[in-house]
Amino acid sequence: MNLEMQQFKAEFFKALAHPLRIKILEVLSEGEMGVNEIQSTIGSEGSAVSQQLMVLRSKNIVVGQKNGNRVIYSLRDPLIMELLQVAKQIFNNHLVDQISLLDKFNEQEEDAAAK
């Protein structure tokens, strides 16, 4: 794989590496919204939402369109939500593995205590 593609991927994932940005993307998956709507939906301060939207815009993950004195934001590519869904599935798989490991550990502890 060429270096430019690896660099793009690294920068893209870096832009996603913030809980508030993920939350904003999840909200925008429901439809386009202005900053105030996003803020009230996620219960965060406007300045924090604006800062995170700026990061997402700079990486072309969201786009903003002027509508009067408001800027309406939307996902640039709907595949972003599929990516987040896959990440959730990976997280769930990880949890299942961890629970299985914990169950095995508890069984070993019970067996050792019974002896």
Side-chain angles (χ1 to χ4, degrees):
M1 190 174 293
N2 72 31
L3 185 58
E4 284 182 31
M5 182 55 75
Q6 291 169 340
Q7 186 65 36
F8 169 80
K9 288 178 182 179
E11 292 298 318
F12 179 81
F13 283 112
K14 206 184 305 182
L16 297 179
H18 192 284
L20 185 53
R21 288 184 215 138
I22 299 293
K23 186 102 171 159
I24 290 169
L25 294 174
E26 290 171 345
V27 166
L28 289 177
S29 73
E30 298 170 11
E32 50 187 41
M33 294 183 189
V35 175
N36 290 338
E37 293 167 298
I38 296 169
Q39 175 187 346
S40 65
T41 301
I42 63 178
S44 182
E45 294 180 19
S47 61
V49 169
S50 294
Q51 289 172 347
Q52 300 310 324
L53 281 167
M54 187 172 64
V55 172
L56 293 169
R57 278 183 83 169
S58 72
K59 299 300 178 186
N60 290 317
I61 295 172
V62 300
V63 292
Q65 229 175 343
K66 272 274 208 204
N67 184 1
N69 62 351
R70 294 177 53 203
V71 177
I72 303 298
Y73 291 93
S74 61
L75 297 177
R76 183 175 183 275
D77 189 330
L79 287 175
I80 290 170
M81 289 320 302
E82 288 183 40
L83 176 67
L84 293 176
Q85 197 60 31
V86 168
K88 183 179 178 181
Q89 290 170 341
I90 292 169
F91 177 75
N92 287 341
N93 292 343
H94 178 73
L95 283 178
V96 167
D97 290 345
Q98 294 299 313
I99 290 169
S100 294
L101 187 62
L102 183 59
D103 287 344
K104 287 179 185 176
F105 176 76
N106 286 336
E107 286 173 13
Q108 289 173 353
E109 289 289 311
E110 289 171 5
D111 289 346
K115 291 182 181 179

